[in-house]
Amino acid sequence: MHILIVTRRALDLAAFADALGQGTGLDLRFTDGWVNSQATLKTIPPAFVVLDEGLRGGPPLELAKKLIQINAMINIAVVSPLAHEAFHEASEGLGILAQVPVNPTAADGQALAEVFRRFM
């Protein structure tokens, strides 16, 4: 089992990702775009996916919809600047487990690890 983090900001998310990996005990894999993600999702499906903003394939909530069409069993977290209630409304029905702040910290990685552990 592994976590796929789809981001163009891997260095900026290093503390977040390290805490997430340590908190879940899962390997982390990174890809920087939707096209590369699709190949990974089909060949070696991750247990969890974190979708960042600024990806070439579209906004993360749109990519979550596409991801569900590829594999509805993958658990998703999405980076979003939306207020909690606005995010909940925008993501309703997508089965997204968690919202991640735009500039996540190690504490955010630990919090997401706790969410993910509930689904392991």
Side-chain angles (χ1 to χ4, degrees), residues 3 8 26 38 41 45-46 59 62 73 80-81 85 88 90 95-97 99 103 109 112-113 117:
I3 298 171
R8 295 173 70 190
L26 299 177
Q38 288 178 347
L41 292 167
E62 290 298 318
M73 301 307 293
S80 175
E85 290 181 21
H88 179 72
I96 294 175
L97 297 180
Q99 177 183 9
N103 294 305
L112 184 58
R117 281 195 308 263

Side-chain angles (χ1 to χ4, degrees), residues 45-91:
F48 305 99
V49 174
V50 178
L51 295 171
D52 195 5
E53 291 194 308
L55 299 172
R56 291 184 208 124
L61 288 175
E62 290 298 318
L63 296 178
K65 290 176 189 174
K66 293 177 184 179
L67 192 155
I68 291 167
Q69 292 173 353
I70 294 170
N71 185 337
M73 301 307 293
I74 294 176
N75 297 297
I76 307 168
V78 173
V79 173
S80 175
L82 294 175
H84 179 71
E85 290 181 21
F87 178 81
H88 179 72
E89 187 174 317
S91 65

